Structure formats: C-alpha cells, structure tokens
Amino acid sequence: MSRRAGAPGAARRAPRAAGAGESFELFAETLLTGVVVALLSLPLVTALPAVAAGTEHLRRHRAGRASGVRVLLRTARAALRGSWGVSAATLAALALLGFNALVASGPLPGGGALLALTALLAVAVVVVALRAAGSWRPGASWPALARGAARAAAADPGGSALVAASAGFVGLLAWMLPPLALPGAGVVVLGLVAVEARRSPAP
C-alpha cells in the first residue's frame, strides 16, 4: 500500500522537476543570447539585425529546433542583409533627438516640456525599431518590418510598454553595472519573443 500511495506522488513531482529544468534552460539560453547580441551590437549599426537574430534564436530554441551560437551567428548574417537603411535611419533619429535634448536642457523657454516630448519620441523610436527586429523572419523586408512595427506599436500599447520596460531595464543595468548589460540584453530579446507570441498565439 505504501508503494502504491507513493507512486502517484512521484508522478506528480516529475512534471514540476521537468518544468523547472526547462525554465532554467530557457533562462541560461536567454543570458547566453544576450551576451552574443550585445557583442554583435557594438558597432551600433548592427544592433537591429543582432536583436532580430536573437529573437529568432530564442523562438527556435523554445520550439525545440536546432539552435546554438553558430546558428545564431549565421542568422545574424542573414538578418544583416537589407537592414542598413532602417538601422541608419534609427540611429540618425536618435542622434537628432539627443541633440534636441541637449538644446532643451539649456536655458530655453518651455525647455522642460520639450525635453519630455523628446524623451517620449526617443522611446517611441526605440520601441518601433525593436519591434521591427522582433518580428523579423528569414527573407523579410526591413522597410516593411518597420512599417508593420509602427502599426503594431500603436495597436498594442501593452506590448510596446513591455518592450520599453525591458529596454529601460537593460539601460539601467548598463548605467549601474556595465558588465551585466551583456547578459541583460537577453531580457530585451526574451521580451520581444513574448510580445510576438501575444500578437500571434499558436493555434
């Protein structure tokens, strides 16, 4: 009787152990992906394709398909094609907004309101750019992704807030403890995967 009574308990514990193992594996893969994505993003102009490759990598990992650093690097090379225009436009917009923030922080009438508006616009640019990267699939057109991301950002404010919060968290890590920003970039990637999953739930 005691063996029979113990068996169901063991059966009930097994799924929890498997779930914990899968969660830890995803956590470790997210950190590793963050390090690779952060290093690939150092030239700045390669940041969007690096994030695109990272999100595709985590999607592949969650689906149980072949994934690894080599596959991630190959995906990054594929995402790099056709991304230059969108990446350059994003960096130019952020540079212009940064200059605008410097001007607004000076002795300018209404500078506080202008600074707040500039910050909101900068967040919007970052969110749209990241959502474009998060929706990338092999063979996708980057200009089309950017247009779709702008529409998605407006139609899904909850998802956009999640993307902004994850990017802000990594920015805070970079400011407080710069080395942690490398694995922390995986938080942005995982957030994009979650946002995309919310938008297109599996049948």
Side-chain angles (χ1 to χ4, degrees):
M1 287 297 293
S2 61
R3 285 195 298 270
R4 287 198 300 272
R12 285 194 298 270
R13 284 193 297 270
R16 288 199 294 269
E22 290 170 3
S23 298
F24 181 78
E25 185 181 355
L26 178 60
F27 174 71
E29 195 68 28
T30 298
L31 295 183
L32 175 61
T33 301
V35 171
V36 176
V37 167
L39 292 176
L40 292 176
S41 300
L42 288 178
L44 295 183
V45 75
T46 59
L48 291 184
V51 172
T55 54
E56 180 67 11
H57 172 74
L58 283 188
R59 279 191 294 264
R60 190 183 297 118
H61 177 79
R62 290 180 67 214
R65 291 182 282 140
S67 60
V69 173
R70 290 184 181 180
V71 177
L72 174 55
L73 294 177
R74 287 199 299 268
T75 306
R77 285 196 296 269
L80 192 61
R81 291 193 289 270
S83 68
W84 301 109
V86 172
S87 295
T90 300
L91 291 175
L94 291 176
L96 180 60
L97 289 170
F99 175 76
N100 201 47
L102 286 177
V103 173
S105 61
L108 184 71
L114 181 59
L115 190 60
L117 178 60
T118 300
L120 286 175
L121 288 175
V123 170
V125 169
V126 170
V127 167
V128 170
L130 287 176
R131 293 196 71 152
S135 61
W136 179 86
R137 298 295 190 281
S141 163
W142 276 97
L145 290 174
R147 292 190 294 270
R151 292 191 295 268
D156 179 24
S160 297
L162 176 60
V163 173
S166 61
F169 172 72
V170 175
L172 184 63
L173 276 182
W175 176 63
M176 296 178 62
L177 295 166
L180 290 183
L182 292 178
V187 173
V188 175
V189 176
L190 186 61
L192 289 170
V193 172
V195 167
E196 285 299 306
R198 288 172 67 252
R199 289 187 61 220
S200 52

mmCIF file with all atom_site columns, all heavy atoms in Angstrom, residues 104-130:
data_model
loop_
_atom_site.group_PDB
_atom_site.id
_atom_site.type_symbol
_atom_site.label_atom_id
_atom_site.label_alt_id
_atom_site.label_comp_id
_atom_site.label_asym_id
_atom_site.label_entity_id
_atom_site.label_seq_id
_atom_site.pdbx_PDB_ins_code
_atom_site.Cartn_x
_atom_site.Cartn_y
_atom_site.Cartn_z
_atom_site.occupancy
_atom_site.B_iso_or_equiv
_atom_site.pdbx_formal_charge
_atom_site.auth_seq_id
_atom_site.auth_comp_id
_atom_site.auth_asym_id
_atom_site.auth_atom_id
_atom_site.pdbx_PDB_model_num
ATOM 1   N N   . ALA A 1 104 ? 17.176 71.421 -25.308 1.00 0.00 ? 104 ALA A N   1
ATOM 2   C CA  . ALA A 1 104 ? 16.053 71.628 -24.395 1.00 0.00 ? 104 ALA A CA  1
ATOM 3   C C   . ALA A 1 104 ? 16.492 71.717 -22.943 1.00 0.00 ? 104 ALA A C   1
ATOM 4   O O   . ALA A 1 104 ? 15.809 72.341 -22.120 1.00 0.00 ? 104 ALA A O   1
ATOM 5   C CB  . ALA A 1 104 ? 15.050 70.494 -24.558 1.00 0.00 ? 104 ALA A CB  1
ATOM 6   N N   . SER A 1 105 ? 17.624 71.090 -22.597 1.00 0.00 ? 105 SER A N   1
ATOM 7   C CA  . SER A 1 105 ? 18.095 71.120 -21.210 1.00 0.00 ? 105 SER A CA  1
ATOM 8   C C   . SER A 1 105 ? 18.779 72.430 -20.857 1.00 0.00 ? 105 SER A C   1
ATOM 9   O O   . SER A 1 105 ? 19.125 72.659 -19.695 1.00 0.00 ? 105 SER A O   1
ATOM 10  C CB  . SER A 1 105 ? 19.052 69.958 -20.951 1.00 0.00 ? 105 SER A CB  1
ATOM 11  O OG  . SER A 1 105 ? 20.182 70.045 -21.803 1.00 0.00 ? 105 SER A OG  1
ATOM 12  N N   . GLY A 1 106 ? 18.989 73.290 -21.836 1.00 0.00 ? 106 GLY A N   1
ATOM 13  C CA  . GLY A 1 106 ? 19.597 74.586 -21.589 1.00 0.00 ? 106 GLY A CA  1
ATOM 14  C C   . GLY A 1 106 ? 18.565 75.614 -21.159 1.00 0.00 ? 106 GLY A C   1
ATOM 15  O O   . GLY A 1 106 ? 17.398 75.299 -20.919 1.00 0.00 ? 106 GLY A O   1
ATOM 16  N N   . PRO A 1 107 ? 18.988 76.879 -21.087 1.00 0.00 ? 107 PRO A N   1
ATOM 17  C CA  . PRO A 1 107 ? 18.070 77.958 -20.660 1.00 0.00 ? 107 PRO A CA  1
ATOM 18  C C   . PRO A 1 107 ? 17.120 78.342 -21.800 1.00 0.00 ? 107 PRO A C   1
ATOM 19  O O   . PRO A 1 107 ? 17.188 79.431 -22.375 1.00 0.00 ? 107 PRO A O   1
ATOM 20  C CB  . PRO A 1 107 ? 19.029 79.106 -20.300 1.00 0.00 ? 107 PRO A CB  1
ATOM 21  C CG  . PRO A 1 107 ? 20.213 78.875 -21.186 1.00 0.00 ? 107 PRO A CG  1
ATOM 22  C CD  . PRO A 1 107 ? 20.346 77.384 -21.335 1.00 0.00 ? 107 PRO A CD  1
ATOM 23  N N   . LEU A 1 108 ? 16.213 77.441 -22.113 1.00 0.00 ? 108 LEU A N   1
ATOM 24  C CA  . LEU A 1 108 ? 15.274 77.651 -23.213 1.00 0.00 ? 108 LEU A CA  1
ATOM 25  C C   . LEU A 1 108 ? 13.863 77.715 -22.653 1.00 0.00 ? 108 LEU A C   1
ATOM 26  O O   . LEU A 1 108 ? 13.461 76.845 -21.876 1.00 0.00 ? 108 LEU A O   1
ATOM 27  C CB  . LEU A 1 108 ? 15.388 76.493 -24.212 1.00 0.00 ? 108 LEU A CB  1
ATOM 28  C CG  . LEU A 1 108 ? 14.547 76.586 -25.486 1.00 0.00 ? 108 LEU A CG  1
ATOM 29  C CD1 . LEU A 1 108 ? 15.106 77.664 -26.408 1.00 0.00 ? 108 LEU A CD1 1
ATOM 30  C CD2 . LEU A 1 108 ? 14.536 75.237 -26.201 1.00 0.00 ? 108 LEU A CD2 1
ATOM 31  N N   . PRO A 1 109 ? 13.081 78.744 -23.010 1.00 0.00 ? 109 PRO A N   1
ATOM 32  C CA  . PRO A 1 109 ? 11.689 78.797 -22.530 1.00 0.00 ? 109 PRO A CA  1
ATOM 33  C C   . PRO A 1 109 ? 10.911 77.557 -22.972 1.00 0.00 ? 109 PRO A C   1
ATOM 34  O O   . PRO A 1 109 ? 10.959 77.165 -24.144 1.00 0.00 ? 109 PRO A O   1
ATOM 35  C CB  . PRO A 1 109 ? 11.136 80.067 -23.203 1.00 0.00 ? 109 PRO A CB  1
ATOM 36  C CG  . PRO A 1 109 ? 12.343 80.896 -23.515 1.00 0.00 ? 109 PRO A CG  1
ATOM 37  C CD  . PRO A 1 109 ? 13.447 79.917 -23.812 1.00 0.00 ? 109 PRO A CD  1
ATOM 38  N N   . GLY A 1 110 ? 10.217 76.937 -22.028 1.00 0.00 ? 110 GLY A N   1
ATOM 39  C CA  . GLY A 1 110 ? 9.481  75.714 -22.347 1.00 0.00 ? 110 GLY A CA  1
ATOM 40  C C   . GLY A 1 110 ? 10.383 74.520 -22.542 1.00 0.00 ? 110 GLY A C   1
ATOM 41  O O   . GLY A 1 110 ? 9.959  73.505 -23.118 1.00 0.00 ? 110 GLY A O   1
ATOM 42  N N   . GLY A 1 111 ? 11.615 74.601 -22.065 1.00 0.00 ? 111 GLY A N   1
ATOM 43  C CA  . GLY A 1 111 ? 12.576 73.519 -22.263 1.00 0.00 ? 111 GLY A CA  1
ATOM 44  C C   . GLY A 1 111 ? 12.151 72.223 -21.592 1.00 0.00 ? 111 GLY A C   1
ATOM 45  O O   . GLY A 1 111 ? 12.403 71.136 -22.118 1.00 0.00 ? 111 GLY A O   1
ATOM 46  N N   . GLY A 1 112 ? 11.491 72.324 -20.433 1.00 0.00 ? 112 GLY A N   1
ATOM 47  C CA  . GLY A 1 112 ? 11.062 71.114 -19.733 1.00 0.00 ? 112 GLY A CA  1
ATOM 48  C C   . GLY A 1 112 ? 10.064 70.310 -20.541 1.00 0.00 ? 112 GLY A C   1
ATOM 49  O O   . GLY A 1 112 ? 10.171 69.082 -20.655 1.00 0.00 ? 112 GLY A O   1
ATOM 50  N N   . ALA A 1 113 ? 9.093  71.005 -21.135 1.00 0.00 ? 113 ALA A N   1
ATOM 51  C CA  . ALA A 1 113 ? 8.087  70.319 -21.946 1.00 0.00 ? 113 ALA A CA  1
ATOM 52  C C   . ALA A 1 113 ? 8.724  69.727 -23.196 1.00 0.00 ? 113 ALA A C   1
ATOM 53  O O   . ALA A 1 113 ? 8.397  68.605 -23.611 1.00 0.00 ? 113 ALA A O   1
ATOM 54  C CB  . ALA A 1 113 ? 6.975  71.291 -22.331 1.00 0.00 ? 113 ALA A CB  1
ATOM 55  N N   . LEU A 1 114 ? 9.638  70.494 -23.798 1.00 0.00 ? 114 LEU A N   1
ATOM 56  C CA  . LEU A 1 114 ? 10.317 69.994 -24.997 1.00 0.00 ? 114 LEU A CA  1
ATOM 57  C C   . LEU A 1 114 ? 11.169 68.778 -24.668 1.00 0.00 ? 114 LEU A C   1
ATOM 58  O O   . LEU A 1 114 ? 11.231 67.817 -25.445 1.00 0.00 ? 114 LEU A O   1
ATOM 59  C CB  . LEU A 1 114 ? 11.185 71.105 -25.599 1.00 0.00 ? 114 LEU A CB  1
ATOM 60  C CG  . LEU A 1 114 ? 11.954 70.752 -26.878 1.00 0.00 ? 114 LEU A CG  1
ATOM 61  C CD1 . LEU A 1 114 ? 10.999 70.321 -27.986 1.00 0.00 ? 114 LEU A CD1 1
ATOM 62  C CD2 . LEU A 1 114 ? 12.811 71.932 -27.327 1.00 0.00 ? 114 LEU A CD2 1
ATOM 63  N N   . LEU A 1 115 ? 11.800 68.785 -23.493 1.00 0.00 ? 115 LEU A N   1
ATOM 64  C CA  . LEU A 1 115 ? 12.629 67.650 -23.083 1.00 0.00 ? 115 LEU A CA  1
ATOM 65  C C   . LEU A 1 115 ? 11.765 66.405 -22.871 1.00 0.00 ? 115 LEU A C   1
ATOM 66  O O   . LEU A 1 115 ? 12.150 65.297 -23.274 1.00 0.00 ? 115 LEU A O   1
ATOM 67  C CB  . LEU A 1 115 ? 13.379 68.004 -21.800 1.00 0.00 ? 115 LEU A CB  1
ATOM 68  C CG  . LEU A 1 115 ? 14.468 67.032 -21.341 1.00 0.00 ? 115 LEU A CG  1
ATOM 69  C CD1 . LEU A 1 115 ? 15.555 66.900 -22.403 1.00 0.00 ? 115 LEU A CD1 1
ATOM 70  C CD2 . LEU A 1 115 ? 15.067 67.498 -20.027 1.00 0.00 ? 115 LEU A CD2 1
ATOM 71  N N   . ALA A 1 116 ? 10.605 66.584 -22.259 1.00 0.00 ? 116 ALA A N   1
ATOM 72  C CA  . ALA A 1 116 ? 9.702  65.450 -22.040 1.00 0.00 ? 116 ALA A CA  1
ATOM 73  C C   . ALA A 1 116 ? 9.205  64.889 -23.372 1.00 0.00 ? 116 ALA A C   1
ATOM 74  O O   . ALA A 1 116 ? 9.151  63.664 -23.560 1.00 0.00 ? 116 ALA A O   1
ATOM 75  C CB  . ALA A 1 116 ? 8.519  65.880 -21.175 1.00 0.00 ? 116 ALA A CB  1
ATOM 76  N N   . LEU A 1 117 ? 8.853  65.776 -24.295 1.00 0.00 ? 117 LEU A N   1
ATOM 77  C CA  . LEU A 1 117 ? 8.401  65.325 -25.609 1.00 0.00 ? 117 LEU A CA  1
ATOM 78  C C   . LEU A 1 117 ? 9.512  64.602 -26.354 1.00 0.00 ? 117 LEU A C   1
ATOM 79  O O   . LEU A 1 117 ? 9.276  63.568 -27.009 1.00 0.00 ? 117 LEU A O   1
ATOM 80  C CB  . LEU A 1 117 ? 7.915  66.522 -26.431 1.00 0.00 ? 117 LEU A CB  1
ATOM 81  C CG  . LEU A 1 117 ? 7.445  66.222 -27.862 1.00 0.00 ? 117 LEU A CG  1
ATOM 82  C CD1 . LEU A 1 117 ? 6.272  65.257 -27.849 1.00 0.00 ? 117 LEU A CD1 1
ATOM 83  C CD2 . LEU A 1 117 ? 7.077  67.516 -28.589 1.00 0.00 ? 117 LEU A CD2 1
ATOM 84  N N   . THR A 1 118 ? 10.726 65.111 -26.234 1.00 0.00 ? 118 THR A N   1
ATOM 85  C CA  . THR A 1 118 ? 11.868 64.464 -26.881 1.00 0.00 ? 118 THR A CA  1
ATOM 86  C C   . THR A 1 118 ? 12.095 63.066 -26.325 1.00 0.00 ? 118 THR A C   1
ATOM 87  O O   . THR A 1 118 ? 12.363 62.121 -27.069 1.00 0.00 ? 118 THR A O   1
ATOM 88  C CB  . THR A 1 118 ? 13.134 65.317 -26.689 1.00 0.00 ? 118 THR A CB  1
ATOM 89  O OG1 . THR A 1 118 ? 12.931 66.606 -27.272 1.00 0.00 ? 118 THR A OG1 1
ATOM 90  C CG2 . THR A 1 118 ? 14.344 64.661 -27.335 1.00 0.00 ? 118 THR A CG2 1
ATOM 91  N N   . ALA A 1 119 ? 11.969 62.933 -25.005 1.00 0.00 ? 119 ALA A N   1
ATOM 92  C CA  . ALA A 1 119 ? 12.148 61.618 -24.380 1.00 0.00 ? 119 ALA A CA  1
ATOM 93  C C   . ALA A 1 119 ? 11.077 60.639 -24.869 1.00 0.00 ? 119 ALA A C   1
ATOM 94  O O   . ALA A 1 119 ? 11.373 59.470 -25.158 1.00 0.00 ? 119 ALA A O   1
ATOM 95  C CB  . ALA A 1 119 ? 12.097 61.751 -22.866 1.00 0.00 ? 119 ALA A CB  1
ATOM 96  N N   . LEU A 1 120 ? 9.830  61.095 -24.972 1.00 0.00 ? 120 LEU A N   1
ATOM 97  C CA  . LEU A 1 120 ? 8.758  60.231 -25.460 1.00 0.00 ? 120 LEU A CA  1
ATOM 98  C C   . LEU A 1 120 ? 9.000  59.796 -26.899 1.00 0.00 ? 120 LEU A C   1
ATOM 99  O O   . LEU A 1 120 ? 8.785  58.631 -27.260 1.00 0.00 ? 120 LEU A O   1
ATOM 100 C CB  . LEU A 1 120 ? 7.413  60.956 -25.344 1.00 0.00 ? 120 LEU A CB  1
ATOM 101 C CG  . LEU A 1 120 ? 6.832  61.084 -23.939 1.00 0.00 ? 120 LEU A CG  1
ATOM 102 C CD1 . LEU A 1 120 ? 5.557  61.923 -23.963 1.00 0.00 ? 120 LEU A CD1 1
ATOM 103 C CD2 . LEU A 1 120 ? 6.553  59.711 -23.341 1.00 0.00 ? 120 LEU A CD2 1
ATOM 104 N N   . LEU A 1 121 ? 9.469  60.726 -27.719 1.00 0.00 ? 121 LEU A N   1
ATOM 105 C CA  . LEU A 1 121 ? 9.762  60.384 -29.110 1.00 0.00 ? 121 LEU A CA  1
ATOM 106 C C   . LEU A 1 121 ? 10.911 59.387 -29.197 1.00 0.00 ? 121 LEU A C   1
ATOM 107 O O   . LEU A 1 121 ? 10.885 58.464 -30.021 1.00 0.00 ? 121 LEU A O   1
ATOM 108 C CB  . LEU A 1 121 ? 10.099 61.655 -29.901 1.00 0.00 ? 121 LEU A CB  1
ATOM 109 C CG  . LEU A 1 121 ? 8.924  62.587 -30.208 1.00 0.00 ? 121 LEU A CG  1
ATOM 110 C CD1 . LEU A 1 121 ? 9.410  63.865 -30.874 1.00 0.00 ? 121 LEU A CD1 1
ATOM 111 C CD2 . LEU A 1 121 ? 7.898  61.877 -31.094 1.00 0.00 ? 121 LEU A CD2 1
ATOM 112 N N   . ALA A 1 122 ? 11.925 59.562 -28.340 1.00 0.00 ? 122 ALA A N   1
ATOM 113 C CA  . ALA A 1 122 ? 13.051 58.622 -28.346 1.00 0.00 ? 122 ALA A CA  1
ATOM 114 C C   . ALA A 1 122 ? 12.591 57.224 -27.956 1.00 0.00 ? 122 ALA A C   1
ATOM 115 O O   . ALA A 1 122 ? 12.994 56.224 -28.569 1.00 0.00 ? 122 ALA A O   1
ATOM 116 C CB  . ALA A 1 122 ? 14.145 59.112 -27.394 1.00 0.00 ? 122 ALA A CB  1
ATOM 117 N N   . VAL A 1 123 ? 11.731 57.139 -26.942 1.00 0.00 ? 123 VAL A N   1
ATOM 118 C CA  . VAL A 1 123 ? 11.199 55.836 -26.535 1.00 0.00 ? 123 VAL A CA  1
ATOM 119 C C   . VAL A 1 123 ? 10.403 55.220 -27.676 1.00 0.00 ? 123 VAL A C   1
ATOM 120 O O   . VAL A 1 123 ? 10.512 54.015 -27.953 1.00 0.00 ? 123 VAL A O   1
ATOM 121 C CB  . VAL A 1 123 ? 10.320 55.987 -25.278 1.00 0.00 ? 123 VAL A CB  1
ATOM 122 C CG1 . VAL A 1 123 ? 9.565  54.689 -24.986 1.00 0.00 ? 123 VAL A CG1 1
ATOM 123 C CG2 . VAL A 1 123 ? 11.172 56.372 -24.077 1.00 0.00 ? 123 VAL A CG2 1
ATOM 124 N N   . ALA A 1 124 ? 9.604  56.039 -28.374 1.00 0.00 ? 124 ALA A N   1
ATOM 125 C CA  . ALA A 1 124 ? 8.806  55.527 -29.487 1.00 0.00 ? 124 ALA A CA  1
ATOM 126 C C   . ALA A 1 124 ? 9.700  54.982 -30.595 1.00 0.00 ? 124 ALA A C   1
ATOM 127 O O   . ALA A 1 124 ? 9.422  53.916 -31.170 1.00 0.00 ? 124 ALA A O   1
ATOM 128 C CB  . ALA A 1 124 ? 7.897  56.630 -30.030 1.00 0.00 ? 124 ALA A CB  1
ATOM 129 N N   . VAL A 1 125 ? 10.774 55.695 -30.915 1.00 0.00 ? 125 VAL A N   1
ATOM 130 C CA  . VAL A 1 125 ? 11.699 55.234 -31.960 1.00 0.00 ? 125 VAL A CA  1
ATOM 131 C C   . VAL A 1 125 ? 12.325 53.903 -31.557 1.00 0.00 ? 125 VAL A C   1
ATOM 132 O O   . VAL A 1 125 ? 12.403 52.969 -32.370 1.00 0.00 ? 125 VAL A O   1
ATOM 133 C CB  . VAL A 1 125 ? 12.788 56.301 -32.215 1.00 0.00 ? 125 VAL A CB  1
ATOM 134 C CG1 . VAL A 1 125 ? 13.900 55.733 -33.104 1.00 0.00 ? 125 VAL A CG1 1
ATOM 135 C CG2 . VAL A 1 125 ? 12.179 57.523 -32.884 1.00 0.00 ? 125 VAL A CG2 1
ATOM 136 N N   . VAL A 1 126 ? 12.771 53.800 -30.309 1.00 0.00 ? 126 VAL A N   1
ATOM 137 C CA  . VAL A 1 126 ? 13.408 52.561 -29.838 1.00 0.00 ? 126 VAL A CA  1
ATOM 138 C C   . VAL A 1 126 ? 12.415 51.401 -29.867 1.00 0.00 ? 126 VAL A C   1
ATOM 139 O O   . VAL A 1 126 ? 12.743 50.292 -30.314 1.00 0.00 ? 126 VAL A O   1
ATOM 140 C CB  . VAL A 1 126 ? 13.977 52.758 -28.417 1.00 0.00 ? 126 VAL A CB  1
ATOM 141 C CG1 . VAL A 1 126 ? 14.423 51.427 -27.825 1.00 0.00 ? 126 VAL A CG1 1
ATOM 142 C CG2 . VAL A 1 126 ? 15.151 53.734 -28.450 1.00 0.00 ? 126 VAL A CG2 1
ATOM 143 N N   . VAL A 1 127 ? 11.190 51.650 -29.420 1.00 0.00 ? 127 VAL A N   1
ATOM 144 C CA  . VAL A 1 127 ? 10.179 50.586 -29.384 1.00 0.00 ? 127 VAL A CA  1
ATOM 145 C C   . VAL A 1 127 ? 9.855  50.099 -30.788 1.00 0.00 ? 127 VAL A C   1
ATOM 146 O O   . VAL A 1 127 ? 9.787  48.886 -31.043 1.00 0.00 ? 127 VAL A O   1
ATOM 147 C CB  . VAL A 1 127 ? 8.909  51.073 -28.655 1.00 0.00 ? 127 VAL A CB  1
ATOM 148 C CG1 . VAL A 1 127 ? 7.744  50.117 -28.891 1.00 0.00 ? 127 VAL A CG1 1
ATOM 149 C CG2 . VAL A 1 127 ? 9.180  51.214 -27.168 1.00 0.00 ? 127 VAL A CG2 1
ATOM 150 N N   . VAL A 1 128 ? 9.639  51.024 -31.714 1.00 0.00 ? 128 VAL A N   1
ATOM 151 C CA  . VAL A 1 128 ? 9.315  50.626 -33.093 1.00 0.00 ? 128 VAL A CA  1
ATOM 152 C C   . VAL A 1 128 ? 10.481 49.857 -33.706 1.00 0.00 ? 128 VAL A C   1
ATOM 153 O O   . VAL A 1 128 ? 10.282 48.826 -34.367 1.00 0.00 ? 128 VAL A O   1
ATOM 154 C CB  . VAL A 1 128 ? 8.961  51.863 -33.944 1.00 0.00 ? 128 VAL A CB  1
ATOM 155 C CG1 . VAL A 1 128 ? 8.877  51.491 -35.429 1.00 0.00 ? 128 VAL A CG1 1
ATOM 156 C CG2 . VAL A 1 128 ? 7.636  52.462 -33.489 1.00 0.00 ? 128 VAL A CG2 1
ATOM 157 N N   . ALA A 1 129 ? 11.703 50.340 -33.482 1.00 0.00 ? 129 ALA A N   1
ATOM 158 C CA  . ALA A 1 129 ? 12.870 49.654 -34.043 1.00 0.00 ? 129 ALA A CA  1
ATOM 159 C C   . ALA A 1 129 ? 13.011 48.247 -33.468 1.00 0.00 ? 129 ALA A C   1
ATOM 160 O O   . ALA A 1 129 ? 13.263 47.278 -34.201 1.00 0.00 ? 129 ALA A O   1
ATOM 161 C CB  . ALA A 1 129 ? 14.135 50.467 -33.761 1.00 0.00 ? 129 ALA A CB  1
ATOM 162 N N   . LEU A 1 130 ? 12.825 48.115 -32.143 1.00 0.00 ? 130 LEU A N   1
ATOM 163 C CA  . LEU A 1 130 ? 12.950 46.801 -31.526 1.00 0.00 ? 130 LEU A CA  1
ATOM 164 C C   . LEU A 1 130 ? 11.825 45.869 -31.963 1.00 0.00 ? 130 LEU A C   1
ATOM 165 O O   . LEU A 1 130 ? 12.048 44.680 -32.192 1.00 0.00 ? 130 LEU A O   1
ATOM 166 C CB  . LEU A 1 130 ? 12.951 46.937 -29.996 1.00 0.00 ? 130 LEU A CB  1
ATOM 167 C CG  . LEU A 1 130 ? 14.224 47.519 -29.382 1.00 0.00 ? 130 LEU A CG  1
ATOM 168 C CD1 . LEU A 1 130 ? 14.059 47.700 -27.880 1.00 0.00 ? 130 LEU A CD1 1
ATOM 169 C CD2 . LEU A 1 130 ? 15.432 46.625 -29.672 1.00 0.00 ? 130 LEU A CD2 1
#
